[in-house]
């Protein structure tokens, strides 16, 4: 069966109307073979405006529904996702080029965040705060925010939507999603799954959740609209540089989840077997197309020769292949643009004195698919392409001899998403996690940079955008806070002793 036929079978099974993805102007491709799997009907800035108007109406009704009741909708979404897990996971694998276990793993993350959000729907707590005025009480309350616009990247085509939507819904907001133009089919499928949950729930307003299919111009309508209270945008730092200032210019709120240039440090005391496995998996897995992929590795000179040749061997022997038909760890790049960007970065690394191992195109499947052998590049120093994220499997390896200096180098890039240290030395570990250590939103010890558990707040600093999603208190980003003071005394003492002569 062709992938186009299989995708259609899955979409039918998931309840997506075929009219939405056949005969439209926007082609969608599977990176696994490069074949076209959909022709989508697209939105325009005008249809996006209309969707925003509908979402505003939906918000006004939804904000009145008690939060635990809103949680019931998300509980039903979790149930529907459990039922659809196999089909949606497979569709993710076809459309984003992930292995079957990664496709299923992504849907599991969606289920997990639903469970988290259901509990959260009874825990949207405010504080009570000691007041200096007698006979008064002061407290904080949290209220729904408005229409939430979600813009997402191709590499986690459905999980990022669910991270935002599960929280936004229990927090009392309506949602409009502009998925990546490279992965629209999985978005239609996710929306169909949510619609089943909405039908079972029964009492939700129409248009509580909508999907807009299109490219940046459609996303831009959300970004510029004064009626979209929050933009949660996941994607490249390039996109964030455009979106962030536009939202700020209208005093909107944004959660920016942008690019990473994640590093690991391997110290003299490290368990090298563990470090080797963590680095190999974190740098080559998902063909280097995770925001948390390890891209830089600093190795202490005393263990360099014990680690790096073994790592180079692991790179040379890793399996590259069709993720749907083989057990290959490394699947396809998303498209030719990604392949070209990788080759340019390797050229620049060579020009800067780097020794490149791997990196060539692998002959897999058709000419229209882009598979590569992952590249390990030994760099004399952190220059040129090492300073930027290239969204492909390239690991730049550098030698260090001084711990304070390596911390400086670690932090000397624009992005600040994820980081890890491999050490058994308590002083190094604690320093790495301290105020003068890693400046990233995620700092790990003896595990790699990639992967995230939904219980923690996810996001990064600096050019990664500063946003936080998913667990911990990330929900506060989806609500507005009010500080309330209540006077239950018979006095009204005014500041500065002001007295009005009113008798
Ligand atoms: P991208 O920036 O090309 O696109 C992301 C989304 O932004 C797409 O939906 C796109 O249509 C939209 N977009 C682009 N320009 C826009 C504009 N001017 N206005 C409104 N919307 C616009 O990113 P990509 O190639 O899909 O994804 C890869 C990038 O995403 C990498 O840099 C990766 O690190 C990053 N990423 C970050 C995280 C995170 O949580 N920090 C997670 C996943 C991916």
């Amino acid at each position: 069966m062709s992938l186009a036929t299989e995708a259609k079978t899955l979409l039918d099974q998931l309840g997506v109307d075929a009219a939405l993805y056949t005969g439209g102007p926007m082609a969608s491709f599977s990176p696994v073979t490069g074949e076209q799997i959909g022709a989508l009907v697209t939105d325009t800035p005008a249809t996006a405006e209309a969707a925003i108007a509908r979402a505003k109406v939906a918000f006004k009704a939804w904000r009145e529904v008690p939060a635990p009741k809103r949680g019931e909708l998300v509980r039903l979404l979790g149930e529907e996702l459990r039922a659809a897990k196999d089909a949606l996971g497979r569709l993710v694998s076809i459309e984003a080029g992930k292995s079957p276990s990664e496709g299923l793993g992504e849907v599991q993350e969606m289920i997990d965040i639903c469970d988290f959000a259901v509990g959260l729907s009874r825990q949207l707590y405010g504080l009570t705060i000691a007041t200096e005025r007698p006979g008064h009480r002061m407290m904080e309350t949290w209220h729904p925010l408005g229409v939430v616009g979600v813009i997402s990247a191709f590499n986690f085509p459905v999980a990022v939507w669910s991270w935002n939507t599960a929280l936004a819904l229990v927090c009392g907001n309506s949602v409009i999603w502009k998925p990546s133009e490279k992965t629209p089919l999985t978005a239609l499928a996710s929306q169909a799954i949510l619609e089943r949950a909405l039908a079972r729930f029964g009492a939700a307003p129409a248009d509580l959740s909508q999907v807009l299919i299109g490219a940046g111009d459609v996303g831009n309508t959300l970004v510029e609209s004064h009626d979209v209270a929050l933009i949660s945008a996941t994607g490249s730092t390039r996109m964030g540089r455009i979106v962030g200032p536009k939202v700020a210019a209208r005093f909107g709120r944004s959660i920016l989840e942008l690019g990473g240039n994640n590093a690991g440090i391997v110290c003299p005391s490290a368990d090298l077997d563990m470090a080797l496995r963590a680095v190999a998996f974190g740098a080559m897995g998902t063909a280097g197309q995770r925001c948390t992929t390890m891209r830089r590795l600093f190795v202490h000179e005393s263990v360099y020769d014990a680690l790096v040749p073994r790592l180079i061997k692991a790179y040379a022997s890793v399996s590259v292949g069709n993720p749907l038909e083989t057990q290959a760890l490394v699947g396809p790049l998303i498209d030719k643009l990604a392949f070209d960007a990788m080759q340019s970065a390797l050229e620049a690394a060579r020009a800067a004195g780097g020794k490149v191992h791997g990196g060539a195109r692998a002959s897999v499947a058709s000419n229209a698919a882009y598979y590569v052998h992952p590249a390990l590049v030994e760099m004399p120093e952190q220059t040129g392409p090492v300073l930027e994220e290239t969204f492909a499997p390239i690991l730049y390896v550098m030698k260090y001899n001084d711990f304070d200096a390596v911390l400086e180098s670690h932090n000397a890039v624009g992005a600040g998403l994820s980081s890890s240290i491999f050490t058994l030395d308590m002083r190094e570990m604690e320093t790495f996690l301290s105020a003068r250590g890693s400046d990233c939103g995620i700092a790990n010890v003896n595990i790699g940079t990639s992967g995230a558990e939904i219980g923690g707040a996810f996001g990064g600093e600096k050019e990664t955008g500063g946003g936080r999603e998913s667990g911990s208190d990330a929900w506060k980003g989806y609500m507005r806070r009010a500080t309330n003071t209540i006077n239950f005394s018979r006095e009204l003492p005014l500041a500065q002793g002001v007295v009005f002569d009113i008798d």
Side-chain angles (χ1 to χ4, degrees):
M1 196 189 333
S2 73
L3 290 183
T5 310
E6 189 180 352
K8 173 147 184 21
T9 307
L10 292 167
L11 287 160
D12 283 349
Q13 198 179 322
L14 289 161
V16 179
D17 181 353
L20 296 175
Y21 63 88
T22 45
M26 193 175 96
S28 107
F29 300 92
S30 169
V32 175
T33 57
E35 73 186 270
Q36 186 171 341
I37 53 174
L40 287 102
V41 176
T42 49
D43 280 281
T44 61
T47 62
E49 289 289 358
I52 294 168
R54 291 192 298 270
K56 220 175 138 185
V57 175
F59 165 67
K60 286 187 176 159
W62 190 239
R63 69 182 171 183
E64 305 284 348
V65 176
K69 184 103 178 95
R70 300 194 296 245
E72 170 61 10
L73 170 62
V74 175
R75 193 188 68 74
L76 293 171
L77 173 60
E79 274 189 11
E80 293 295 335
L81 283 165
R82 281 178 170 87
K85 183 174 175 182
D86 287 349
L88 184 60
R90 181 77 183 173
L91 194 61
V92 167
S93 291
I94 291 172
E95 197 176 38
K98 296 187 175 194
S99 70
S101 65
E102 280 181 299
L104 291 172
E106 183 157 350
V107 183
Q108 187 58 47
E109 272 191 34
M110 302 172 85
I111 294 167
D112 292 344
I113 197 70
C114 286
D115 288 355
F116 180 90
V118 174
L120 187 63
S121 71
R122 291 181 184 272
Q123 300 176 77
L124 303 170
Y125 301 135
L127 298 171
T128 55
I129 300 157
T131 159
E132 62 195 42
R133 287 169 280 194
H136 285 59
R137 183 161 68 83
M138 183 158 61
M139 63 186 183
E140 279 180 352
T141 45
W142 291 87
H143 300 292
L145 191 61
V147 178
V148 173
V150 178
I151 295 172
S152 60
F154 78 84
N155 65 321
F156 279 94
V158 288
V160 166
W161 167 73
S162 68
W163 287 9
N164 282 283
T165 300
L167 262 56
L169 289 177
V170 297
C171 290
N173 304 304
S174 56
V175 181
I176 304 179
W177 180 18
K178 209 302 282 172
S180 166
E181 54 275 44
K182 295 176 186 175
T183 52
L185 296 179
T186 44
L188 293 178
S190 302
Q191 174 70 8
I193 292 166
L194 176 53
E195 274 164 15
R196 274 198 290 287
L198 282 162
R200 284 173 63 196
F201 182 75
D207 304 306
L208 185 58
S209 161
Q210 303 174 74
V211 176
L212 299 174
I213 299 298
D217 59 331
V218 176
N220 187 56
T221 306
L222 297 176
V223 168
E224 290 189 340
S225 171
H226 287 257
D227 289 330
V228 177
L230 168 67
I231 290 287
S232 175
T234 300
S236 58
T237 295
R238 183 199 60 77
M239 176 274 285
R241 273 191 220 290
I242 300 169
V243 166
K246 283 189 179 177
V247 179
R250 61 173 176 86
F251 297 103
R253 208 190 271 188
S254 59
I255 295 175
L256 298 177
E257 300 279 352
L258 310 175
N261 190 357
N262 318 298
I265 300 176
V266 181
C267 300
S269 65
D271 178 326
L272 293 184
D273 287 339
M274 267 175 58
L276 178 84
R277 285 167 45 231
V279 171
F281 179 76
M284 294 191 277
T286 326
Q289 298 171 115
R290 280 176 177 242
C291 50
T292 51
T293 290
M294 191 180 287
R295 308 199 180 278
R296 299 177 293 141
L297 184 67
F298 299 97
V299 185
H300 191 266
E301 59 185 9
S302 65
V303 292
Y304 195 92
D305 290 341
L307 179 73
V308 178
R310 287 171 72 198
L311 204 47
I312 292 170
K313 212 168 146 194
Y315 266 69
S317 62
V318 76
S319 50
V320 179
N322 181 324
L324 304 178
E325 290 175 0
T326 69
Q327 299 288 316
L329 176 71
V330 181
L333 292 177
I334 188 73
D335 56 17
K336 182 172 186 303
L337 277 179
F339 174 76
D340 291 344
M342 178 177 180
Q343 298 309 311
S344 308
L346 292 177
E347 272 306 305
R350 276 190 200 98
K355 188 172 174 198
V356 178
H357 307 267
R361 191 164 175 188
S363 54
V364 176
S366 77
N367 255 349
Y370 291 87
Y371 290 79
V372 286
H373 294 284
L376 184 153
V377 185
E378 293 180 273
M379 288 296 289
E381 55 186 319
Q382 181 167 258
T383 49
V386 188
L387 298 169
E388 302 294 330
E389 175 194 61
T390 300
F391 214 54
I394 305 176
L395 179 67
Y396 299 106
V397 182
M398 290 152 285
K399 212 178 257 186
Y400 82 91
N401 57 24
D402 176 76
F403 188 67
D404 288 332
V406 81
L407 285 182
E408 291 283 327
S409 306
H410 176 276
N411 292 344
V413 294
L417 181 52
S418 186
S419 58
S420 65
I421 190 167
F422 294 88
T423 182
L424 300 179
D425 179 323
M426 182 269 274
R427 288 184 180 138
E428 285 173 343
M429 173 187 99
E430 291 291 347
T431 304
F432 184 74
L433 301 180
S434 77
R436 70 182 181 91
S438 165
D439 62 1
C440 293
I442 299 168
N444 295 335
V445 178
N446 293 332
I447 65 166
T449 54
S450 69
E453 262 185 61
I454 57 102
F458 182 85
E461 301 300 326
K462 304 191 297 184
E463 291 178 9
T464 302
R468 290 296 185 278
E469 282 175 357
S470 196
S472 184
D473 65 352
W475 62 271
K476 291 179 176 172
Y478 301 80
M479 301 198 86
R480 66 179 173 82
R481 179 197 322 235
T483 302
N484 313 127
T485 305
I486 300 158
N487 179 358
F488 58 93
S489 75
R490 293 177 194 281
E491 308 294 326
L492 189 70
L494 298 176
Q496 290 91 44
V498 171
V499 178
F500 292 105
D501 189 6
I502 50 176
D503 291 325

